[in-house]
Amino acid sequence: MAGALFGGILLGLFGRKTCLLTCVPLFVLGQLVVCGATAPAMLYTGRLVLGIATGCSSVTVPVYLSEVAHPAVRGILGSCMQLMVVTGIFSAFLLGGWLNWRWLAIASAVPPTLQFMMLLFAAPESPRWLLAAGREMEALRALQYLRGMNASVELEVRALQRALTGERSMSVMEVMRGGLMRPLSLGVIVMVLQQATGVNAILFYAQNIFEKAKVTPPTLGPLLVAAVQVLATGLAVSLADRAGRKTLLVLSGLTMAISLVIFGGYFHLQPAGHPANATSGLAAPPGTASDLGHGSFTWLALCCMMTYIVGFSLGWGPLPWVIMVELAPNAARGVVGAVGTLSNWLMAFLITKEFADLMHALGEDGVFWLFAGACVAGLIFAAVVLPETKGQSLEQIQARMGSKKPQ
């Protein structure tokens, strides 16, 4: 969360590319500290550094991708962030089967090192940030590089100049006072709803479900979950600019809600005092009449979990990161990104921390039905409140949102 605030400040002052380049040494340093740890304090320090780097990059990457992408492919490029996240998780699970944790930390330092080289030599700074900073010729060269050397970019540059005239980076208070509460509110709500769908709770239960379904070896279950996330997110990437953000979010929310209602029903059908209705596990005692844990109904929990993960990955996984920065004007993009990311992780922390207490208070069935209700709320929010941004330039979106320039 601290990294998100740091990134929101840094990307406005020094540029999107510079902010990303700053994250890379932090990633590498954090992994090296973890690798060389000889005491718990060193592990905590390494994880702290990695957390700051992750927070900073999580704010900056969506902003950078939204600003360099052509409107026709902005949804695809923006969703690629989530695709790379789940691909990284899948790779970590895969490598973790062969490497110990120290070598895994070393291996995890390789991607950010390659990223640094690509950013340094192959990626331009955001043309919008360059124009806002008064560096017109650099912005023209950057846009020409992004659109292709044979493309005519003069009209696009002039349109960006008109849109950015008089703009400057805004503080949180200026955003709140400057007629920008609508994009800020929508960005925060969509990020909070992403976590309110219960994704961390489902992943928390995943290993338990795989154990009761007798999936072997034990490492295969998490690997399957990560593989499903990669495939479903890849499908979402291909559909983001064809189906549209609203359609995918509605479909995603509906899929998750149905799977969670059935998942809750799985627990509700367990007999009172049954281990599947307690935090200790999902399986029924052998020989009982309703042996849903070891019996034929374990497949139901497994199918619900996989269906939920597919639904989440199709919409509510990748698209909130895209929408959050699309709705904000250039001057407030850093603030909206930082506040939205902070809200997202704060919600994730609260759900993870309170999940056990919620299970004790509501029971497993009640918890998953509660998450299903959040999915329905997200579905309604996407269908009724959230504007469609597919195929529109950031300036067109800003005009529709009625965002005012900072004076």
Side-chain angles (χ1 to χ4, degrees):
M1 289 188 282
L5 296 177
F6 173 68
I9 296 170
L10 192 64
L11 68 86
L13 292 176
F14 301 107
R16 287 47 165 154
K17 179 178 176 178
T18 301
C19 189
L20 288 173
L21 287 171
T22 303
C23 294
V24 174
L26 295 177
F27 275 119
V28 175
L29 175 62
Q31 295 293 1
L32 292 178
V33 172
V34 169
C35 176
T38 57
M42 289 187 67
L43 286 174
Y44 296 148
T45 301
R47 293 293 296 169
L48 177 64
V49 174
L50 289 170
I52 292 173
T54 302
C56 186
S57 61
S58 295
V59 173
T60 310
V61 170
V63 173
Y64 179 78
L65 291 177
S66 71
E67 292 185 348
V68 301
H70 189 279
V73 295
R74 192 175 58 245
I76 292 176
L77 286 181
S79 299
C80 279
M81 172 183 161
Q82 182 71 7
L83 179 60
M84 293 300 102
V85 169
V86 295
T87 301
I89 294 171
F90 175 75
S91 302
F93 280 136
L94 196 62
L95 291 174
W98 291 285
L99 302 176
N100 65 35
W101 60 273
R102 292 187 188 274
W103 280 108
L104 186 59
I106 290 293
S108 299
V110 173
T113 303
L114 296 176
Q115 176 191 338
F116 184 85
M117 301 300 292
M118 293 178 64
L119 281 171
L120 196 61
F121 297 110
E125 178 57 87
S126 162
R128 285 176 171 81
W129 184 84
L130 289 171
L131 283 173
R135 295 155 63 175
E136 183 178 339
M137 292 307 298
E138 291 180 64
L140 182 61
R141 287 194 295 269
L143 197 59
Q144 189 73 69
Y145 177 83
L146 291 166
R147 301 294 184 257
M149 299 312 294
N150 295 323
S152 177
V153 298
E154 287 77 10
L155 289 177
E156 186 174 356
V157 169
R158 284 201 290 271
L160 290 176
Q161 284 177 318
R162 287 194 298 270
L164 298 174
T165 299
E167 283 200 353
R168 55 177 177 79
S169 295
M170 303 175 71
S171 67
V172 176
M173 294 307 298
E174 286 176 318
V175 169
M176 296 178 68
R177 292 195 305 261
L180 296 175
M181 278 303 297
R182 188 185 178 206
L184 178 63
S185 300
L186 291 177
V188 168
I189 291 171
V190 77
M191 295 300 278
V192 167
L193 283 172
Q194 184 198 57
Q195 291 298 328
T197 57
V199 61
N200 286 305
I202 295 294
L203 295 178
F204 175 82
Y205 247 146
Q207 185 60 43
N208 204 342
I209 293 170
F210 280 117
E211 287 175 1
K212 304 311 175 186
K214 300 185 184 302
V215 175
T216 56
T219 55
L220 181 60
L223 197 60
L224 286 174
V225 171
V228 169
Q229 284 184 300
V230 171
L231 294 174
T233 306
L235 179 60
V237 167
S238 67
L239 294 175
D241 284 309
R242 287 190 286 177
R245 282 53 152 170
K246 289 169 69 76
T247 301
L248 285 179
L249 287 176
V250 169
L251 178 63
S252 172
L254 182 61
T255 303
M256 289 189 295
I258 292 172
S259 62
L260 287 173
V261 167
I262 299 173
F263 207 0
Y266 167 84
F267 290 106
H268 187 71
L269 290 175
Q270 306 289 350
H274 189 281
N277 277 323
T279 58
S280 58
L282 293 172
T288 58
S290 298
D291 188 5
L292 301 183
H294 282 92
S296 59
F297 280 90
T298 301
W299 64 267
L300 183 62
L302 196 59
C303 289
C304 285
M305 183 186 66
M306 287 302 189
T307 303
Y308 171 88
I309 290 170
V310 170
F312 179 80
S313 301
L314 276 176
W316 281 97
L319 291 179
W321 298 99
V322 178
I323 294 167
M324 172 185 66
V325 294
E326 284 183 328
L327 297 179
N330 188 74
R333 208 159 282 141
V335 170
V336 172
V339 174
T341 302
L342 181 65
S343 303
N344 180 279
W345 285 345
L346 181 59
M347 190 66 176
F349 169 77
L350 291 174
I351 288 178
T352 303
K353 181 178 181 297
E354 299 301 328
F355 183 50
D357 292 335
L358 282 173
M359 284 197 296
H360 282 112
L362 303 176
E364 277 83 349
D365 50 357
V367 168
F368 287 109
W369 288 337
L370 178 65
F371 290 144
C375 292
V376 172
L379 183 159
I380 296 172
F381 175 78
V384 178
V385 180
L386 206 61
E388 179 59 77
T389 56
K390 178 187 74 171
Q392 302 173 48
S393 72
L394 295 177
E395 288 66 40
Q396 288 173 324
I397 297 170
Q398 181 177 341
R400 283 185 59 200
M401 294 292 293
S403 302
K404 300 176 183 178
K405 295 182 181 180
Q407 302 299 318

